[in-house]
Amino acid sequence: MKKSIKTTLCITISLLIIISAVSPAFAAAPALPQVNTNARHTVCTSLSESARNYYSGQYSYSNLSKLSGAANSTDSYAASQGNQLYNALKTLMSSTQSYFPVYSGKNPGSLAYYWTSTDAVGSSDYYAMFYSDAPSNSTLVSLSREHVWPKSMASFYEKYGGADLHHLRPVDNNINSTRSDHPFGYVNKAFASGTTVGTLDSVTVYWLNPKADLFEVKDDIKGDIARILLYVYCRWGQPNLYSDVSSKYLPPLDSDDNKDSGAKVIESLDTLLQWCEDDPVDTWEMRRNDLIEQVQGNRNVFIDYPELAWLMFSLKVPAGLTSPTKTGCTHNWQIAAHTDATCTSNGYDLKHCSKCGEDRKFIYHTVEHTDSDRNEYCDNCNKKLVLSTQMTKINELKDNTRIVLYHPYSKTSVSRNSCLYGKLAPSNSYIMNSKLDIAEDCCVFNVIATEGGYYLKYKNLYLTSGATGNSLFLTSTPNEYSVWYTQPSTYNSRCLIINKNAVYNDKAQALQYYNGNFTTYSVKDTSNFQFEIYENDSYYFGYPDVHENDWFFEAVKYCDVHNYINGYSNGLFGPADKLQRQDFVVILARIANADLTAYAKTATSLKDVADSKYYTNAVKWAVAKGIVKGYDNGKFGVGDTITREQIVTMLYRYLNSPAVSADSKVLNGFADRNRVSAFAKNAMIWAVENGIISGKNASTLAPTDSASRAETVTIIMRMDKRGMFD
């Protein structure tokens, strides 16, 4: 019996020894390294000894730099496929990692335990909080563990990649909550409105634009972030670096993870590399890399050799790049060209360095429409603005709100039109999905608090009663009979809208619907006097035939703001209208910002493309770029409606026909997959795989159906948000 116990014990011990040898998760916690005493934000001009020793043999920089990079950097998933350098760096950083820290707590082996060394600023008593550089012992901060690559956008959670010292950083809890999982990008100066500025101890730490879904950090942190994201992209094989990635191309989830959105973590490849260049590696960052190697065994190669980032994407290393092995240019930037942002198009600064010749382009995003005087015309471009027709019931007057007075019995609202002297006409309105839909002539009042009640102001006019009632006007100057208040009705949460000073026979005068018009009369709690008040919190500058509950609403708004696809001259958008082939080519040329003047004098062999038409040069451009080829009969098909498969084929060719798997089964779930034309098969596979197009339903792809304007704007918005048109 004793022999059996001893044998079992020996086997158990042996197994534990074997497991600990092959699995870093079972390895003993490495000792705490020395404290990081190097200077923060002082440019590093040489490799450390540890860094020099890490790269040898096939992994020497000389050999790594000779490997081929991305064949296609259109999106970050494609850039990682068949990329020799990416694969080599991933192998190097993975094979040398020997330990994974513990996410929680502050015991030996945990992230917080090692931060007292790796993230210290000259003392083991405190460490630098990421984004802000505030010391951890400051009374202004509270500790949170920041996944610089958000775990909601990754296959890891709080183990392995989710507890990697290279990208887990200590951060103030409030900043961590604000950043959430917003992608990084340019916000400060890039947007005219909607930006929140975050400070800590009087230092600006971040800029957040929730509407644009972008988060920007201060300049001396940008390079750290870029190099961390490059590390996670490569070491942990997370493909959604600068483009959204379909779930089918995401790595399997770790056992403690249940979500990976596949959304991009930085706005573009250009931004990633620009941050990497503009904020060079500092001596503290290099030392941190050394200390993490002592704990985990691996290094962030993009700290030691930032040049690898450009080579990995098959791009030329900038002449001005400063790295630990290269002294770059101290740029002297000069504005070579400037374009102001407008309400519907981006502006930019084109900068040129007079020393090294490098060019930079900084984007100023659309300023969007504003209407400070509430006259329903844009302050900037004077465009007629259409108020959102979707309004929510509030049934009370509140200062500084925009409201409609709706009479549910007649299903009308107060309009701006007079029908008889002392009467205002009704405007047809109706309830849809518990919200009010109004007509163009409806009065949308600005509510302005005043003594004893509220003014109801429509543009520059005030809703005003006669002194003794029985009349209702819109007057240019408010008086004592322009003051209103509400009183609850006894019926169904409605209200009575009463004038504060108008009186007849000692009875207050209230808003009334009577004989097909609106007036005032002695108040009664009856259906003629019972109103509902609907509020609109914001404008939507769009089209009367596009509503907030429409599935294409955001796409129409997006393409209108970016000036990709606009409405008709009659003020409508026409979401259900079929798009014609020549119109889609014009749209695509606009998105590409193509210089069509170069094609004015070139000839085309397409028989039906006449000279001097609005689409002529766009079609010539598309032919020259290999985007369109025309029909077998030698015609382009001017006037033909464009089909769903033709749209994705043009887009596919516009992106230089990205590689697709010959044996892809992505179309197998569609019963009509055999209706996809031979010329469109690869394009349709690409479009479905990347979520650019979906079926009309779960089993119907409808490749030869005509594409509507609503479908077209949706496709374009999806691609543009992923940076596919950059």
Side-chain angles (χ1 to χ4, degrees), residues 409-714:
Y409 181 74
S410 64
K411 297 183 179 179
T412 63
S413 302
V414 178
S415 86
R416 64 188 179 216
N417 302 316
S418 299
C419 54
L420 298 170
Y421 180 77
K423 307 288 189 292
L424 291 179
S427 174
N428 292 327
S429 306
Y430 61 94
I431 306 295
M432 181 172 63
N433 297 329
S434 300
K435 293 188 176 183
L436 180 67
D437 199 345
I438 61 175
E440 194 269 339
D441 63 345
C442 175
C443 279
V444 180
F445 294 103
N446 297 305
V447 181
I448 304 169
T450 188
E451 184 177 356
Y454 300 89
Y455 291 133
L456 300 180
K457 183 180 180 183
Y458 170 70
K459 296 189 177 180
N460 294 318
L461 304 174
Y462 295 81
L463 188 68
T464 304
S465 171
T468 57
N470 201 30
S471 56
L472 189 67
F473 307 93
L474 289 170
T475 61
S476 58
T477 304
N479 58 40
E480 59 187 305
Y481 306 113
S482 306
V483 182
W484 304 84
Y485 67 94
T486 58
Q487 178 179 303
S489 166
T490 58
Y491 180 76
N492 198 26
S493 300
R494 293 173 182 168
C495 65
L496 310 175
I497 301 171
I498 305 171
N499 193 279
K500 181 178 184 297
N501 297 307
V503 177
Y504 182 74
N505 286 341
D506 296 327
K507 291 185 178 180
Q509 301 298 292
L511 192 64
Q512 177 196 34
Y513 177 84
Y514 184 72
N515 280 348
N517 50 59
F518 289 101
T519 184
T520 54
Y521 204 75
S522 298
V523 63
K524 299 177 184 178
D525 195 356
T526 62
S527 60
N528 281 6
F529 291 86
Q530 293 162 355
F531 283 79
E532 293 176 348
I533 299 176
Y534 282 79
E535 177 188 16
N536 184 289
D537 293 325
S538 61
Y539 273 137
Y540 164 55
F541 309 108
Y543 307 96
D545 55 347
V546 178
H547 304 296
E548 279 185 293
N549 62 320
D550 291 330
W551 61 268
F552 47 80
F553 174 83
E554 288 298 333
V556 172
K557 184 176 179 181
Y558 185 91
C559 288
D560 185 58
V561 166
H562 287 80
N563 204 32
Y564 293 158
I565 304 180
N566 303 123
Y568 300 134
S569 58
N570 64 2
L572 299 178
F573 183 79
D577 292 354
K578 306 304 180 186
L579 195 69
Q580 295 185 351
R581 283 170 56 85
Q582 74 276 6
D583 292 327
F584 183 73
V585 170
V586 170
I587 291 166
L588 197 53
R590 186 182 302 145
I591 293 171
N593 197 27
D595 180 8
L596 299 183
T597 59
Y599 299 90
K601 297 182 179 180
T602 61
T604 176
S605 60
L606 296 172
K607 301 174 184 177
D608 57 342
V609 178
D611 291 336
S612 303
K613 299 294 185 180
Y614 71 91
Y615 55 80
T616 304
N617 291 346
V619 172
K620 291 178 181 178
W621 164 81
V623 171
K625 297 296 182 182
I627 297 169
V628 297
K629 300 177 180 177
Y631 297 148
D632 291 340
N633 63 5
K635 294 183 178 182
F636 170 75
V638 173
D640 291 354
T641 57
I642 193 167
T643 65
R644 287 159 57 85
E645 68 176 8
Q646 288 172 354
I647 278 186
V648 298
T649 299
M650 290 186 193
L651 292 169
Y652 178 70
R653 291 172 180 166
Y654 174 80
L655 297 179
N656 298 316
S657 303
V660 296
S661 175
D663 57 354
S664 174
K665 296 180 174 57
V666 72
L667 302 183
N668 287 3
F670 297 104
D672 59 347
R673 61 186 178 277
N674 291 330
R675 290 180 57 202
V676 178
S677 302
F679 72 82
K681 184 175 180 181
N682 283 352
M684 193 63 77
I685 290 172
W686 163 80
V688 173
E689 283 182 342
N690 287 277
I692 303 303
I693 195 171
S694 56
K696 289 291 187 77
N697 54 50
S699 61
T700 305
L701 190 57
T704 57
D705 283 10
S706 296
S708 69
R709 285 167 58 85
E711 290 174 312
T712 305
V713 293
T714 302

Side-chain angles (χ1 to χ4, degrees), residues 394-406:
I394 57 171
N395 277 358
E396 63 177 330
L397 296 177
K398 295 190 296 184
D399 187 35
N400 200 33
T401 56
R402 294 174 60 83
I403 59 129
V404 165
L405 304 177
Y406 175 65

Side-chain angles (χ1 to χ4, degrees), residues 275-501:
W275 285 15
C276 191
E277 179 180 358
D278 287 351
D279 176 30
V281 177
D282 63 28
T283 59
W284 184 88
E285 190 181 1
M286 176 63 73
R287 183 58 179 158
R288 187 177 188 274
N289 210 16
D290 293 344
L291 298 173
I292 292 176
E293 183 186 6
Q294 293 179 33
V295 176
Q296 292 190 174
N298 68 340
R299 299 181 67 87
N300 181 342
V301 299
F302 300 102
I303 293 174
D304 301 330
Y305 292 104
E307 296 91 336
L308 292 170
W310 281 263
L311 298 176
M312 186 167 66
F313 296 110
S314 297
L315 299 172
K316 182 180 179 181
V317 178
L321 178 68
T322 293
S323 77
T325 60
K326 177 178 179 291
T327 300
C329 179
T330 54
H331 295 297
N332 179 27
W333 294 113
Q334 298 175 344
I335 303 296
H338 171 80
T339 300
D340 290 328
T342 68
C343 298
T344 56
S345 61
N346 291 338
Y348 65 86
D349 278 338
L350 183 61
K351 299 180 180 181
H352 178 79
C353 176
S354 60
K355 293 183 177 181
C356 68
E358 185 177 340
D359 290 322
R360 290 279 184 84
K361 192 173 186 179
F362 181 83
I363 301 296
Y364 297 96
H365 293 277
T366 54
V367 295
E368 300 189 355
H369 301 291
T370 59
D371 185 20
S372 57
D373 57 4
R374 301 288 178 89
N375 69 350
E376 298 186 16
Y377 284 85
C378 176
D379 300 331
N380 304 313
C381 69
N382 207 38
K383 178 181 178 180
K384 178 71 173 71
L385 306 177
V386 180
L387 186 67
S388 170
T389 59
Q390 300 296 300
M391 310 186 82
T392 304
K393 185 164 69 174
I394 57 171
N395 277 358
E396 63 177 330
L397 296 177
K398 295 190 296 184
D399 187 35
N400 200 33
T401 56
R402 294 174 60 83
I403 59 129
V404 165
L405 304 177
Y406 175 65
H407 187 248
Y409 181 74
S410 64
K411 297 183 179 179
T412 63
S413 302
V414 178
S415 86
R416 64 188 179 216
N417 302 316
S418 299
C419 54
L420 298 170
Y421 180 77
K423 307 288 189 292
L424 291 179
S427 174
N428 292 327
S429 306
Y430 61 94
I431 306 295
M432 181 172 63
N433 297 329
S434 300
K435 293 188 176 183
L436 180 67
D437 199 345
I438 61 175
E440 194 269 339
D441 63 345
C442 175
C443 279
V444 180
F445 294 103
N446 297 305
V447 181
I448 304 169
T450 188
E451 184 177 356
Y454 300 89
Y455 291 133
L456 300 180
K457 183 180 180 183
Y458 170 70
K459 296 189 177 180
N460 294 318
L461 304 174
Y462 295 81
L463 188 68
T464 304
S465 171
T468 57
N470 201 30
S471 56
L472 189 67
F473 307 93
L474 289 170
T475 61
S476 58
T477 304
N479 58 40
E480 59 187 305
Y481 306 113
S482 306
V483 182
W484 304 84
Y485 67 94
T486 58
Q487 178 179 303
S489 166
T490 58
Y491 180 76
N492 198 26
S493 300
R494 293 173 182 168
C495 65
L496 310 175
I497 301 171
I498 305 171
N499 193 279
K500 181 178 184 297
N501 297 307

Side-chain angles (χ1 to χ4, degrees), residues 188-262:
N188 182 32
K189 301 180 182 178
F191 294 93
S193 61
T195 295
T196 299
V197 180
T199 62
L200 185 66
D201 197 18
S202 301
V203 175
T204 299
V205 176
Y206 65 81
W207 297 263
L208 170 68
N209 192 303
K211 185 177 180 181
D213 192 24
L214 288 175
F215 184 84
E216 181 178 0
V217 298
K218 58 196 184 88
D219 290 345
D220 57 11
I221 302 293
K222 287 185 168 80
D224 301 58
I225 286 171
R227 290 179 282 273
I228 289 170
L229 297 182
L230 286 160
Y231 169 85
V232 177
Y233 171 65
C234 199
R235 160 63 183 96
W236 292 104
Q238 305 298 309
N240 47 311
L241 177 58
Y242 56 85
S243 54
D244 297 341
V245 174
S246 170
S247 59
K248 66 187 69 178
Y249 298 118
L250 298 175
L253 298 176
D254 284 354
S255 59
D256 65 335
D257 194 14
N258 61 11
K259 178 186 178 182
D260 180 359
S261 69

Side-chain angles (χ1 to χ4, degrees), residues 111-244:
L111 291 168
Y113 173 73
Y114 291 116
W115 283 337
T116 61
S117 169
T118 61
D119 290 58
V121 186
S123 169
S124 59
D125 296 332
Y126 62 90
Y127 40 82
M129 302 295 262
F130 200 48
Y131 301 134
S132 65
D133 282 334
S136 59
N137 62 351
S138 168
T139 58
L140 299 175
V141 301
S142 57
L143 175 65
S144 186
R145 294 162 177 80
E146 165 75 337
H147 290 77
V148 180
W149 187 299
K151 52 191 177 185
S152 63
M153 302 171 174
S155 63
F156 48 70
Y157 191 68
E158 293 179 357
K159 297 195 304 185
Y160 307 116
D164 187 321
L165 279 166
H166 283 297
H167 96 103
L168 267 290
R169 303 296 288 267
V171 68
D172 173 62
N173 183 61
N174 290 329
I175 297 175
N176 175 265
S177 298
T178 301
R179 190 265 159 131
S180 184
D181 58 2
H182 295 292
F184 294 106
Y186 284 108
V187 175
N188 182 32
K189 301 180 182 178
F191 294 93
S193 61
T195 295
T196 299
V197 180
T199 62
L200 185 66
D201 197 18
S202 301
V203 175
T204 299
V205 176
Y206 65 81
W207 297 263
L208 170 68
N209 192 303
K211 185 177 180 181
D213 192 24
L214 288 175
F215 184 84
E216 181 178 0
V217 298
K218 58 196 184 88
D219 290 345
D220 57 11
I221 302 293
K222 287 185 168 80
D224 301 58
I225 286 171
R227 290 179 282 273
I228 289 170
L229 297 182
L230 286 160
Y231 169 85
V232 177
Y233 171 65
C234 199
R235 160 63 183 96
W236 292 104
Q238 305 298 309
N240 47 311
L241 177 58
Y242 56 85
S243 54
D244 297 341

